Amino acid sequence: MAFKSKIKWVALFVLTLSLGSLTVHLSLTKFSSMSLVQYSAKEALSHDFPYIGSPVGRNKRLWGAVRSLESLQPYANPRNLYPVPGKTSNGFIYAKIFGGFEKIRSSICDLVTISRLLNATLVIPEIQESTRSKGISSKFKSFSYLYDEEQFIASLKNDVNIIKSLPEHFKSARRSEFPTFKPKSSASPNYYVKEILPSLKKAKVIGLIIMDGGCLQPILPPILSEFQRLRCRVAFHTLQFRPEIQILGLRMVERLRAWGQPFLAYHPGLVRDTLAYHGCAELFQDVHTELIQYRREQMIKQGIVNDELSVESHIRRENGSCPLMPEEVGLLLRAMGYPSNTIIYVAGSQTFGGQRLLIPLRAMFANVVDRTSLCSKTELSDLVGPETPLPPDVFKMPNPKSEEQLKEEWNRAGPRPRPLPPPPDRPVYQHEKEGWYAWITENDKEPNPSPMDLRMQAHRLLWDALDYIVSVEADAFFPGFHSDGSRWPDFSGLVIGQRLYERASSRTYRPDRKKITELFNIIRDDMYHPKRNWILSAREHLNRSLSEEGLIRQSLLSKPTSFLSHPIPECSCRISSVEITKPIKGKDGRILFGGEPECPKWMQSARAEKARTDETEPAEDENDEPEQLEPDVISSLTSLIDHDEEWDPND
C-alpha cells in the first residue's frame, strides 16, 4: 500500500510539472506568435559559445605557433645600395591585366619590378575585370575598385615613378603608334632588357597585355635579389585594399574573434580552370563534368594544355593533382582533433560544384560560416557602390516549330522507307534551363557572358579581397588546393605566402595531396570508421606540413611558379639564437630554407621585449586537451549519420 501511495504522489507531481510547463509554453507563444524568430549563423555560434567575448584558453596543439619557425621575421628592406629613381626615365609603361584576384595581384608585383628594371615610369595598370564598360559603379576607376591608388603611389616613391595616367600628348596616339607586347607568364629579365627596352627608348611608351597572372619569371638570379625584395614590398606592404574593403574585412575578423574562440579559414580551391587544367572532371557529376571537359578542350586548342582531352581523373587525383574535396578536409580536421564546434570560415567567391559539396563538412562542423554569415546585405551592397540597374537574365524557351517547318524537315529526310519519328520530348521545366550552365544542353559553344555575368565577375574581386583579409588573419589556415607547379598563381598560395612572410610561425597547413590520397585509399570503403593508427598517421603528416619539412617541400613545388607563395629566404631575416639553422639547398643550388641573414638590432630588441611580455602571461599546457579531442572522435560521427533518416551519402 505504501508503494502504491508513493506512485500516486510521483504521478501527481509529474502532472503538475507538465501543466506548469504547458502554461509557460502557451504564455510564451501568445507573445511571440506575431513575430517568428530568425536564426543566423552568428546566433547559432552564440549558443555553442555562451561566454561570448570572454577569453578562453586555447589548445596549443591545435592553435599554437610552430616553434621551429618563430625565429623567422619579415624583412623586405633593401640590403645593398639602392638608389631612388631619378626624375628622368626611359619612357612610360601602361598595362592591361586580365584575370581574377590572384592573377591581378601577381601581375601588379611583376609590373613594378619590370618598371624598376627598365628605369621606366609605370602608369597605374587597368584591371579589365573592373572596367566601367562592365557596369560597375562610376565612383571607382579600374584600379581603385580594388586597391588604394594613393597608397600605391606614395609607398613606392623610393622604388618606381608611378603616375595615374599618360601625359595628354601621348593619350591620343597610344593605340595606333605605340608598340604593344604580350609577354609570357615567366618571361626572363633578358627578354625585357633585349626585346622591350629598345622599343621603350624609341617610342617612349609601350603597352603590356598580361593574361596568365604574372609577366616575370618567379625565381630571379641572385644578382637580382633586390628585385625579389621589391616584389615582397609591393605584395605585402604597398598593395593595400581601398579603405572600405579593409574596414569591412577587419570588421569580419572582429566578429569572428568576438565569439571568444580561435577560428580556422579554409579555401576549397575548386576552380573550373584548375580542375580543367589538371583533368579532374570525373570527380564531379552530371553537368559539371561536361563543363570542365569543355573548358579543357578550349585550353587544348589555345595551347595551354598539352595533353589528351579525356584522362583518368582518379589517376590524376592519386598523383595529387586534384583538389581535396570538402568531405576529406573535414575528416582530416577531425583527425587532427578539432572539435565539432570549431569555427571554420569558408573563403572563395565561388566554389565550382555548388554548396552541395560543403554538405559533408557542415555535417561534421556545425559552425561553418562565410562572408554572407558575417556581413549584412547592406554592408556588401555599400562595398559595391551605386550601380545602374541591369535587366535580369531571363531564360526564354525556343520558339516552337510550325507545322510547315515540321513537314519540310520530314520531306528533306533520308531515303524511304524511313523509321517512325521519335516520340515527343518530355516538357522542359524552367528550373532546368535557368542558370549559368543552361547553354550546355542546347549549344556546343559557350555563349559570351551577359552584362550581369560581367558585373558578377567584378564583384568577385571584392569578395575575394574580403576572404583574403580573413584568411591571412585566421588562427589557422587549411588549403584545399595550393600552388604546386600549376600554371597560374592561386588564392591559397598567396595566402600561404603572406602568412609565411608576416608570421612564419602561424599555423598554416601545407598538405601533400598525394600522401593524403594514399591515406584515404586505405579507408575509402569506410571513411567514417578510421582506426586509431590511421588517425595518428594523418595527424603526423599534417603536423609535418606545418614545420620546416612542409616549407621545403612547398618551396620545391610552388616557388618555380609563384615567388609570392614562398618569399623566403630573400624577404626574411632570422632572430639570433643558440641554434644556427644550416642552409638547405635544392637541386639547382638555390637556398630553400636557412639562408636568412641575421635581423638588425632594432628588430632583435623588439623581439626580446615581446618575449618578456609573453613570459608574464599564464603558461598553458600543450598536452591539455578538452574531452572532444579524443583521437577516435571521428567514429562518433557514425551515430549522427545512422540516426539521420534524411542523410544521403550520395547527395
Side-chain angles (χ1 to χ4, degrees), residues 509-539:
Y509 292 95
R510 306 171 186 88
D512 182 352
R513 292 191 299 278
K514 183 177 181 180
K515 177 65 176 177
I516 294 297
T517 304
E518 293 174 359
L519 287 173
F520 275 113
N521 285 341
I522 299 174
I523 60 167
R524 184 61 62 184
D525 297 332
D526 206 3
M527 293 176 64
Y528 285 85
H529 295 270
K531 297 181 179 179
R532 179 181 175 85
N533 59 350
W534 183 91
I535 295 174
L536 295 177
S537 298
R539 185 177 295 181

Side-chain angles (χ1 to χ4, degrees), residues 149-332:
E149 265 189 11
E150 301 298 333
Q151 164 74 15
F152 182 71
I153 296 173
S155 297
L156 291 173
K157 64 180 180 180
N158 294 328
D159 296 289
V160 178
N161 291 322
I162 303 177
I163 58 176
K164 293 185 178 181
S165 61
L166 280 172
E168 292 295 332
H169 61 280
F170 284 129
K171 284 183 179 180
S172 59
R174 69 174 187 176
R175 292 184 178 181
S176 57
E177 297 182 7
F178 304 135
T180 301
F181 299 88
K182 191 177 179 180
K184 296 181 179 180
S185 59
S186 58
S188 66
N190 289 334
Y191 166 78
Y192 290 97
V193 173
K194 294 181 179 179
E195 300 292 333
I196 294 184
L197 183 58
S199 299
L200 177 65
K201 290 182 176 179
K202 182 179 179 181
K204 294 301 179 183
V205 179
I206 63 163
L208 296 180
I209 298 177
I210 305 174
M211 303 289 295
D212 296 328
C215 49
L216 185 64
Q217 68 183 41
I219 302 176
L220 299 176
I223 194 173
L224 297 178
S225 58
E226 289 298 342
F227 291 87
Q228 295 286 58
R229 281 185 277 276
L230 174 58
R231 275 173 165 172
C232 292
R233 292 198 294 276
V234 177
F236 308 135
H237 296 280
T238 298
L239 270 183
Q240 301 290 333
F241 300 114
R242 59 180 166 93
E244 297 88 347
I245 299 176
Q246 293 190 56
I247 292 171
L248 184 55
L250 295 177
R251 190 180 300 162
M252 293 166 64
V253 175
E254 290 175 0
R255 289 169 182 172
L256 287 167
R257 300 227 185 274
W259 291 317
Q261 292 284 340
F263 72 94
L264 179 144
Y266 160 59
H267 187 269
L270 296 170
V271 182
R272 185 183 174 194
D273 282 356
T274 301
L275 295 166
Y277 182 81
H278 292 288
C280 306
E282 295 176 8
L283 301 184
F284 293 81
Q285 299 174 356
D286 52 64
V287 72
H288 293 90
T289 298
E290 298 181 43
L291 289 166
I292 294 173
Q293 286 297 87
Y294 176 85
R295 183 69 185 114
R296 183 173 174 83
E297 183 180 6
Q298 300 302 311
M299 288 182 173
I300 293 174
K301 292 179 179 179
Q302 296 169 6
I304 299 174
V305 174
N306 298 320
D307 200 353
E308 297 179 358
L309 175 62
S310 299
V311 294
E312 282 286 344
S313 297
H314 297 285
I315 296 178
R316 298 296 175 94
R317 178 182 167 278
E318 292 180 357
N319 291 337
S321 299
C322 298
L324 297 174
M325 301 304 285
E327 179 183 20
E328 297 172 331
V329 173
L331 291 170
L332 290 172

Side-chain angles (χ1 to χ4, degrees), residues 70-82:
E70 285 184 339
S71 61
L72 283 175
Q73 299 296 315
Y75 188 48
N77 294 351
R79 316 280 172 80
N80 303 316
L81 182 63
Y82 194 80

Side-chain angles (χ1 to χ4, degrees), residues 589-601:
R590 64 184 176 89
I591 297 176
L592 306 177
F593 182 78
E596 302 83 10
E598 186 175 338
C599 294
K601 293 182 179 180

Side-chain angles (χ1 to χ4, degrees), residues 532-549:
R532 179 181 175 85
N533 59 350
W534 183 91
I535 295 174
L536 295 177
S537 298
R539 185 177 295 181
E540 180 184 6
H541 171 73
L542 292 178
N543 282 328
R544 286 180 178 176
S545 74
L546 294 167
S547 61
E548 298 175 5
E549 183 177 335

